């Protein structure tokens, strides 16, 4: 009891469970953000509660039935959730908490992108507050040429931002 780990469940067209699989073998990861790369390849980035404190990464090459742990990303993660989404141009966006010197684990919410799932580029900081302020539990949705971002702001409200996507030059 008390050990947490991420799982993937598959359902048939009637909503009945088909199978369940554990995402990787780590015991310090949870809250996976799952993104398909192809019809069979799936990646998951996860919250990390270990002393490594980096975004954890796993991959499946059979549609999520079996998973392999990949090396952690160079992105900090002090046990905070994240959100990832494949955009219509094929790149992947991730909302994650970044840690700056003198900051705390949730006072910066950063938007990053990648094309390969391993090498991430910072787009912008969506929210940045003083140490102890909290911007957490992010979510991403693309609607047309807009990226909708929501998150809990300072444990007081749900914030919503809209970024116009410009696939010739990135997010604006």
């Amino acid at each position: 009891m008390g050990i947490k780990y991420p799982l993937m469940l598959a359902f048939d067209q009637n909503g009945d469970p088909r199978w369940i699989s554990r995402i990787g073998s780590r015991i310090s990861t949870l809250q996976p953000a799952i993104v398909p790369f192809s019809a069979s390849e799936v990646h998951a980035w996860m919250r990390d509660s270990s002393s490594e404190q980096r975004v954890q990464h796993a991959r499946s090459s059979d549609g999520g039935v079996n998973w392999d742990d990949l090396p952690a990303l160079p992105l900090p993660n002090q046990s905070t959730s994240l959100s990832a989404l494949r955009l219509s141009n094929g790149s992947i966006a991730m909302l994650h908490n970044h840690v700056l010197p003198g900051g705390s684990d949730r006072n910066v919410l950063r938007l990053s992108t990648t094309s390969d799932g391993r090498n991430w580029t910072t787009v912008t900081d969506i929210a940045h507050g003083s140490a102890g302020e909290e911007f957490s539990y992010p979510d991403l949705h693309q609607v047309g040429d807009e990226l909708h971002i929501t998150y809990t702001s300072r444990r007081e409200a749900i914030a919503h931002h809209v970024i116009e996507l410009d696939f010739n030059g990135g997010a604006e």
Side-chain angles (χ1 to χ4, degrees):
M1 298 298 291
I3 295 176
K4 300 176 187 177
Y5 49 84
L7 297 171
M8 183 165 182
L9 286 80
F11 299 90
D12 66 18
Q13 66 272 14
N14 298 318
D16 295 321
R18 290 182 42 219
W19 49 263
I20 185 170
S21 66
R22 181 173 173 172
I23 300 174
S25 61
R26 295 182 180 105
I27 59 169
S28 64
T29 59
L30 62 152
Q31 295 175 320
I34 299 170
V35 176
F37 271 55
S38 69
S40 58
E41 185 178 355
V42 184
H43 287 244
W45 296 279
M46 295 155 284
R47 176 180 184 161
D48 178 27
S49 64
S50 77
S51 61
E52 193 172 13
Q53 296 188 340
R54 295 190 300 157
V55 173
Q56 298 297 320
H57 188 193
R59 178 186 60 220
S60 171
S61 58
D62 59 8
V65 176
N66 297 288
W67 291 85
D68 295 313
D69 292 319
L70 296 176
L73 299 181
L75 304 174
N77 183 272
Q78 297 180 349
S79 195
T80 60
S81 67
L82 51 94
S83 181
L85 174 71
R86 177 170 295 285
L87 300 173
S88 61
N89 73 342
S91 65
I92 298 165
M94 180 188 292
L95 266 177
H96 58 98
N97 289 106
H98 186 71
V99 181
L100 297 173
S104 56
D105 59 351
R106 296 180 182 189
N107 75 310
V108 176
L109 186 61
R110 180 163 284 179
L111 178 64
S112 299
T113 59
T114 185
S115 59
D116 64 6
R118 293 277 326 144
N119 300 295
W120 294 83
T121 301
T122 298
V123 175
T124 189
D125 288 343
I126 300 300
H128 185 226
S130 303
E133 287 187 291
E134 183 175 315
F135 308 104
S136 55
Y137 301 101
D139 196 27
L140 292 166
H141 292 280
Q142 183 178 353
V143 179
D145 290 335
E146 296 178 334
L147 182 63
H148 289 255
I149 295 169
T150 57
Y151 58 92
T152 301
S153 179
R154 297 179 176 93
R155 292 189 179 231
E156 297 172 354
I158 303 297
H160 177 231
H161 298 265
V162 178
I163 295 177
E164 295 292 324
L165 296 171
D166 172 13
F167 292 127
N168 297 319
E172 294 182 328

